[in-house]
């Protein structure tokens, strides 16, 4: 029996891209916003590290900030509604101050999708190709 590599199920690649984001949380046990940095990003969502536990299926507003370039200051490129689809560790732990969170974008407008595609294309051009991961 020959081993077949597992087929990738993602429709779009994730890019190793660290951009600052702010998460606006509506649950009363969280502050109004939580700063984070993406670990990777695609047209469907992002993966980031945060300093507190956010439960799965929690809805939030993601504000993405384009990084500073030589002549351009940082700027907000989009505010997208998202939902937490995975958290690691899976349960809140006393003393834990780092959680990896996967967020799925809900209903991107055409303008938001265009802005995100432009950001990903600029990143791919900057690194001389795309650094994509399927994690």
């Amino acid at each position: 029996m020959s081993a077949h590599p597992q087929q990738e199920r993602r429709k779009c690649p994730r890019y190793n891209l660290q951009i600052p984001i702010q998460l606006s949380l509506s649950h009363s046990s969280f502050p109004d916003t939580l700063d984070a940095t993406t670990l990777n990003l695609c047209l469907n969502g992002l993966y980031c590290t945060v300093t507190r536990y956010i439960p799965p299926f929690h809805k939030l507003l993601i504000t993405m900030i384009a990084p500073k370039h030589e002549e351009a200051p940082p700027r907000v490129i989009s505010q997208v509604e998202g939902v937490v689809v995975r958290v690691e560790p899976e349960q809140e732990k006393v003393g834990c101050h780092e959680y990896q969170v996967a967020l799925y974008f809900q209903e991107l407008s055409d303008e938001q999708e265009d802005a995100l595609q432009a950001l990903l294309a600029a990143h791919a051009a900057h690194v001389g190709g795309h650094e994509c991961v399927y994690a």
Side-chain angles (χ1 to χ4, degrees):
M1 198 184 292
S2 65
H4 297 285
Q6 185 173 356
Q7 184 177 8
E8 176 51 46
R9 298 181 312 196
R10 293 190 191 280
K11 293 181 181 177
C12 61
R14 287 190 176 267
Y15 293 83
N16 289 327
L17 178 58
Q18 291 78 42
I19 63 167
I21 59 173
Q22 288 184 334
L23 305 175
S24 298
L25 308 162
S26 61
H27 192 273
S28 62
S29 67
F30 295 113
D32 292 335
T33 61
L34 183 62
D35 292 325
T37 300
T38 62
L39 299 172
N40 60 55
L41 179 67
C42 78
L43 289 176
N44 292 329
L46 62 85
Y47 191 61
C48 66
T49 299
V50 296
T51 57
R52 58 183 58 216
Y53 181 79
I54 304 173
F57 308 111
H58 190 86
K59 292 182 181 182
L60 40 85
L61 181 67
I62 305 159
T63 302
M64 290 184 268
I65 304 164
K68 177 183 176 189
H69 292 287
E70 292 80 33
E71 289 111 28
R75 69 189 191 291
V76 171
I77 59 166
S78 190
Q79 289 189 314
V80 181
E81 290 186 4
V83 64
V84 175
V85 293
R86 187 175 74 239
V87 182
E88 296 171 0
E90 293 179 354
Q91 300 292 322
E92 187 170 13
K93 293 184 178 185
V94 175
C96 184
H97 299 290
E98 186 173 288
Y99 295 89
Q100 286 72 44
V101 178
L103 301 167
Y104 175 76
F105 299 144
Q106 296 184 309
E107 300 183 35
L108 289 176
S109 71
D110 290 341
E111 294 82 14
Q112 289 171 322
E113 188 171 331
D114 289 346
L116 193 50
Q117 283 180 332
L119 175 67
L120 295 175
H123 172 68
H126 179 70
V127 297
H130 67 274
E131 292 179 65
C132 63
V133 293
Y134 290 98

